[in-house]
Amino acid sequence: MNKRWRIPWWFALLILASLNACSLLTIERITPIEDEVQGFEATVDALKGQIDRQDDMVSYMATQVSLLATENAQFSSLISYLATRGPASGTAVVTPPETNAALVSGEVVIEDGSCCVGATAGDDIEITVRFSASGRQAPVTEMRYKVGGFADLEQGFYTEPWGLFREQLTFTYRVPINWTGFYVRVQYRDSLGNLSPIYTDDISVEGAPPTPTPGG
């Protein structure tokens, strides 16, 4: 009876080997899937890192753009200031083709050659201008002039009427905010009709902001 149900040793070994084979097959099938999942997670982490670095770069570039915009605004303000300030360094001379500079000469000087004047923006100030001229063949009897900003002088100067020669004139100027330029352009003529060169002088005018009133 006992001999009939005894399992041969070689059969037990066969069953054990089969179980080990199934176990190995299962492990071999599971291991590649786990490797793929880990590889995918590593790729996702790498992409996240690249995106974070790109975000940092975009933020840095936005900061640089903002700084450049601020610098450009500062340069624009400086250029505008220098363009309007232009302290007088002497009388500028523009000689038209019809002028005989050897026969009539002269100059124009604003505020005795000062570079600047100033007041509170909106106030009226008086600016004194001295004129001088002499002729070799005849006395200087007339002059034509124009005052204002530099652009104003370029328009219609030759259509200005001739008037009697004056050694000094005082002009009223309403001061704008910030720095501006006040220009004078003049040409002289003697009694024989001989013309001088065109002379220009300028002075810088600073308009200070009004002082706030208490409780205003």
Side-chain angles (χ1 to χ4, degrees):
M1 186 68 179
N2 292 335
K3 291 181 179 180
R4 182 181 301 177
W5 294 101
R6 181 177 299 172
I7 299 174
W9 62 270
W10 53 268
F11 183 76
L13 290 176
L14 180 61
I15 293 174
L16 182 60
S18 298
L19 292 175
N20 288 336
C22 291
S23 176
L24 290 174
L25 180 61
T26 302
I27 292 173
E28 289 175 357
R29 287 181 178 179
I30 293 174
T31 300
I33 294 175
E34 292 177 351
D35 291 340
E36 290 179 1
V37 171
Q38 293 176 355
F40 176 78
E41 292 177 349
T43 301
V44 170
D45 291 338
L47 291 174
K48 288 181 178 179
Q50 291 180 359
I51 291 173
D52 291 339
R53 288 192 296 272
Q54 290 178 353
D55 289 340
D56 293 340
M57 179 61 69
V58 169
S59 178
Y60 171 78
M61 293 177 66
T63 301
Q64 294 302 311
V65 169
S66 178
L67 290 175
L68 289 175
T70 301
E71 291 179 357
N72 286 338
Q74 293 174 346
F75 282 131
S76 296
S77 299
L78 178 60
I79 290 171
S80 177
Y81 165 75
L82 294 176
T84 56
R85 186 174 186 275
S89 58
T91 300
V93 179
V94 180
T95 305
E98 70 273 19
T99 295
N100 189 343
L103 299 179
V104 181
S105 61
E107 67 175 352
V108 56
V109 179
I110 303 174
E111 289 291 329
D112 295 325
S114 298
C115 70
C116 315
V117 293
T120 302
D123 289 351
D124 291 333
I125 61 173
E126 291 186 346
I127 298 178
T128 301
V129 181
R130 289 191 298 104
F131 302 93
S132 61
S134 61
R136 291 192 175 184
Q137 293 182 345
V140 174
T141 56
E142 296 177 295
M143 68 181 187
R144 59 182 173 185
Y145 63 88
K146 194 169 185 181
V147 300
F150 184 78
D152 299 329
L153 303 187
E154 297 296 327
Q155 300 176 0
F157 176 78
Y158 291 104
T159 62
E160 290 294 319
W162 290 94
L164 293 177
F165 171 75
R166 303 283 298 275
E167 292 185 351
Q168 181 172 303
L169 290 173
T170 300
F171 300 93
T172 300
Y173 183 72
R174 178 154 293 178
V175 180
I177 190 72
N178 213 336
W179 286 92
T180 55
F182 178 82
Y183 293 77
V184 178
R185 179 166 291 181
V186 64
Q187 187 177 31
Y188 304 103
R189 184 165 67 181
D190 67 13
S191 59
L192 298 178
N194 296 314
L195 301 178
S196 75
I198 296 175
Y199 299 96
T200 302
D201 196 15
D202 67 275
I203 191 169
S204 298
V205 183
E206 181 183 14
T211 303
T213 58

